[in-house]
Amino acid sequence: MTTTFSTTGRVAVVTGGSRGIGRRVVERLAAEGYAVVVNYRGRQEAAEEAVTAARAAGGTAIAVPADVADPAAVAALFDTAEREFGGVDVVVHAAGMMTLAPLADLDLDQLDEMLRINVRGTFVVDQQAARRVRPGGAIVNFSSSLTRFARPGYSAYAASKGAVSTMTLILARELRGRDVTVNAVAPGPTATELFLDGKDEQTLARIAAEPPMERIGTPDDIAELVVFLAGPGRWVNGQVLYANGGAI
């Protein structure tokens, strides 16, 4: 028997939706029929472009600014989603930051800021999501395959994403009986502006050769998985899914 998942009336909040993977997730959810709230922190023009792209894909979208680590701002973000669209069914928390340096050299102020955005930000967004997502909904966080790669220079970033993975697994169990799934996607190298910046062709070729698929991932690769977890993937819960072409 084939079951068709309906997105009619479903509402998604996507943090970090103005660029990169988050931007592609916005477009894909809109194309599936979701009303999408595009959260951004400081890139209003990029967020408005994401809204335009979402509408062109056939969906409904608005842009709402919020610092994901600020509880009042995040509560206001969810308030807006509920006021404009009637509720929240899916939360995709794609906002994050990455600062790279060997552990011995990383400036602690940079560490504090990354932990604020990646760890506290996930906690704050997930708090609101846990309180507000409707039955049949989904929470999708973003971890990273770097928690397994153990590459020099990534200790702080990988540690912050390891915290995201742990929060995800525990929250899934805390929401027992709510009919809300909680998962994390852990991308490997993905061809976004942030990833490609500063890398020469030789470096990119070396990275592309690592997975058996012999290429670098694309935002589409990751967005496709997010759309599955947001909708029809109801029996996937409390998992960290490593989307890296088999590199690990």
Side-chain angles (χ1 to χ4, degrees):
M1 180 178 67
T2 301
T3 301
T4 302
F5 183 85
S6 175
T7 61
T8 301
R10 284 173 74 82
V11 179
V13 173
V14 181
T15 69
S18 64
R19 61 176 182 153
I21 294 171
R23 163 72 177 268
R24 191 62 187 128
V25 168
V26 166
E27 294 172 1
R28 285 287 288 108
L29 289 173
E32 292 291 325
Y34 287 80
V36 185
V37 178
V38 181
N39 163 251
Y40 67 98
R41 185 180 183 185
R43 295 173 175 260
Q44 181 176 359
E45 183 177 352
E48 294 296 344
E49 290 173 357
V51 167
T52 299
R55 292 172 178 169
T60 304
I62 59 172
V64 180
D67 176 353
V68 295
D70 180 339
V74 173
L77 168 67
F78 278 77
D79 287 343
T80 300
E82 292 175 340
R83 182 174 62 252
E84 294 294 324
F85 299 121
V88 176
D89 301 285
V90 173
V91 175
V92 180
H93 179 47
M97 67 173 293
M98 179 168 62
T99 302
L100 305 180
L103 186 149
D105 301 329
L106 182 66
D107 183 278
L108 293 183
D109 288 339
Q110 292 179 312
L111 172 65
D112 289 343
E113 179 62 11
M114 187 157 49
L115 293 177
R116 179 182 181 275
I117 298 300
N118 294 357
V119 180
R120 178 187 169 95
T122 300
F123 203 98
V124 169
V125 171
D126 279 8
Q127 275 192 329
Q128 291 297 322
R131 295 166 183 169
R132 306 209 200 194
V133 169
R134 297 184 287 204
I139 301 168
V140 182
N141 291 323
F142 267 79
S143 181
S144 172
S145 287
L146 286 160
T147 58
R148 290 185 172 181
F149 286 158
R151 284 183 173 152
Y154 288 86
S155 58
Y157 178 74
S160 73
K161 290 302 184 175
V164 172
S165 295
T166 300
M167 280 189 277
T168 299
L169 302 183
I170 292 173
L171 181 58
R173 286 147 183 82
E174 290 180 345
L175 295 187
R176 173 182 291 273
R178 286 273 306 278
D179 190 25
V180 173
T181 62
V182 188
N183 294 288
V185 176
T190 306
T192 63
E193 178 185 347
L194 179 64
F195 171 77
L196 295 174
D197 184 44
K199 294 182 175 66
D200 58 30
E201 291 298 322
Q202 183 178 3
T203 299
L204 292 174
R206 175 180 56 77
I207 295 172
E210 291 177 352
M213 303 295 286
E214 295 187 326
R215 66 175 176 85
I216 292 171
T218 69
D220 272 322
D221 292 324
I222 310 304
E224 193 72 25
L225 178 56
V226 172
V227 170
F228 173 74
L229 295 173
R234 301 303 303 162
W235 197 234
V236 182
N237 189 28
Q239 304 298 317
V240 179
L241 288 82
Y242 292 86
N244 54 46
I248 54 174

